[in-house]
Amino acid sequence: MPPFGGSVPSSYGSNSSNSSDSNIITIDVGGQLFQTTKQTLALAGPDSLFARVSEPPISSSHHSVPFVDRDPELFSVFLSLLRTGNLPSKARVFDIQDLIFESRFYGVEDLLINSVSNPSQFEAYNLERSAILSMNGRDSPSAIVTTPFGSVHVAHGSKITSFDWSLRKKRTILTQFAAVDSMLAISPSVVAAGATDFSGLQILDLENGSVKKTLSWENVTRSSSTVQAIGSNQESLFVSFESGRRNSNSIVVYDLHSLRPVTEIAHNEIYGAEINSAIPATKLNWVSGNSLLMASGSHSGPSGVSGNIKFWDVRSGNIVWELKENVDCFSDVTVSDNLSSMFKVGVNSGEVFFADLRNLGAENPWVCLGDGRIAYNGKKEGVGCKIESHGSQVFCSKAGDIELWSEVAMGSVKNSEDELGERVFRKNLMGKMKDMGGSRITNLAFGGNKMFVTRKDQQSVEVWQSSSGGF
């Protein structure tokens, strides 16, 4: 008999009949009776097995009880999930893979994912190192991208290894790159990948390891076009290209769905010693609150590190705001829509700075969030530091540790209608004592209710999660 094998007589147990005018449904799962309502079962969706048992075939008896030949303990977990929207605590006694297999049988895997790996469950203050994802081979991760519900793709050497949302199922493909420097997830199984020493941006199908398409930039010298950075919004894919001769660069905008070029912005041809225009964008962030593209890049020369941050109106191709970084240039920079702010780590001081995007266009917008001590002894405290925003928090790596910066809610006092109130941010060190230190952090990424961390010379990815979540 198949798992959903028809019905048993209503005499099988008392008060277990289903009638056409009743809202109460009785189900026999592996010999154990369960009662629930049609409304509860309807939450599983019309294509689920729950929908089938709530509406028995017309040919069956009105007084028959549907029989499902499955584990009643696992069934009770999913019935609780339908009733409350959350997995019950007893679900922790099961292996996550057993729950996945059973959820697919019942047709409710999406509900399971939403309950176990929902981005709304991300608890920044309670994160701690909870698991290690090992990579095959000897190469350390060079790039990492995630999807909203927590699947993760890791580039290491010429390979890309993908983990599903449960972080149990692993698949590795080989690429044509010696090493992937930039990567962006277009869908759960498709990524855009590029390198600073390989021509063109490749759209890779991670299911079968094939190249779906290669995007290239036709520069004036007709030399190769290497990828310096990738970004996106809901409609567009942004790619920062540099010519193989390093004498021109540009940002090309593609339609995210058709992958056809739409427009080109930030096109620079370098002549002589025009070092500022020679700097390609090495990080692209879409600022949805302002509908602007933030493009940043820096260069190390005899006089120190210099760079620029430009905010582009993609539709007009115009620069809305440009910041030239010479004194304590950024080691890394990010933007937060939730906080309407831009954040950087100073390459000399190692301090975190913020700039209020409500004050767009200010000549010197940076406010130091640390103690303001800038090192002039030639030692660059901020080299290698990474900074990323997620939700309403900002995460900054300092060597092997991670700082968490959050804004303190307070009544701001304005001196005039045109003046913005003072904003206060506070720092916390993340993790428990066991999580402190280690090799220098090279990547920070966020997906589902987790944070992913990679470190120099480590062939693995750390998974950080709150102790109250996960299995």
Side-chain angles (χ1 to χ4, degrees), residues 3 65 122 322:
V65 176
F122 185 83
E322 179 176 6

PDB file of all heavy atoms in Angstrom, residues 3 65 122 322:
ATOM      1  N   PRO A   3       2.147   5.218   0.709  1.00  0.00           N
ATOM      2  CA  PRO A   3       2.088   5.970   1.970  1.00  0.00           C
ATOM      3  C   PRO A   3       0.731   6.591   2.241  1.00  0.00           C
ATOM      4  O   PRO A   3       0.292   6.629   3.386  1.00  0.00           O
ATOM      5  CB  PRO A   3       3.172   7.042   1.791  1.00  0.00           C
ATOM      6  CG  PRO A   3       4.141   6.423   0.842  1.00  0.00           C
ATOM      7  CD  PRO A   3       3.308   5.610  -0.090  1.00  0.00           C
ATOM      8  N   VAL A  65     -11.799   7.332   7.478  1.00  0.00           N
ATOM      9  CA  VAL A  65     -10.684   8.107   8.009  1.00  0.00           C
ATOM     10  C   VAL A  65      -9.480   7.932   7.086  1.00  0.00           C
ATOM     11  O   VAL A  65      -9.045   6.801   6.861  1.00  0.00           O
ATOM     12  CB  VAL A  65     -10.317   7.644   9.437  1.00  0.00           C
ATOM     13  CG1 VAL A  65      -9.084   8.390   9.940  1.00  0.00           C
ATOM     14  CG2 VAL A  65     -11.492   7.857  10.377  1.00  0.00           C
ATOM     15  N   PHE A 122      17.110  36.469  12.564  1.00  0.00           N
ATOM     16  CA  PHE A 122      18.509  36.857  12.765  1.00  0.00           C
ATOM     17  C   PHE A 122      18.629  37.679  14.049  1.00  0.00           C
ATOM     18  O   PHE A 122      17.989  38.718  14.200  1.00  0.00           O
ATOM     19  CB  PHE A 122      18.994  37.670  11.564  1.00  0.00           C
ATOM     20  CG  PHE A 122      20.451  38.031  11.609  1.00  0.00           C
ATOM     21  CD1 PHE A 122      21.414  37.131  11.187  1.00  0.00           C
ATOM     22  CD2 PHE A 122      20.867  39.268  12.063  1.00  0.00           C
ATOM     23  CE1 PHE A 122      22.760  37.460  11.209  1.00  0.00           C
ATOM     24  CE2 PHE A 122      22.210  39.616  12.092  1.00  0.00           C
ATOM     25  CZ  PHE A 122      23.156  38.700  11.666  1.00  0.00           C
ATOM     26  N   GLU A 322      30.353  62.774  -4.732  1.00  0.00           N
ATOM     27  CA  GLU A 322      31.666  62.156  -4.840  1.00  0.00           C
ATOM     28  C   GLU A 322      32.517  62.556  -3.647  1.00  0.00           C
ATOM     29  O   GLU A 322      32.590  63.724  -3.274  1.00  0.00           O
ATOM     30  CB  GLU A 322      32.370  62.577  -6.131  1.00  0.00           C
ATOM     31  CG  GLU A 322      33.762  61.972  -6.276  1.00  0.00           C
ATOM     32  CD  GLU A 322      34.429  62.315  -7.595  1.00  0.00           C
ATOM     33  OE1 GLU A 322      33.853  63.127  -8.362  1.00  0.00           O
ATOM     34  OE2 GLU A 322      35.527  61.789  -7.861  1.00  0.00           O
TER      35      GLU A 322
END
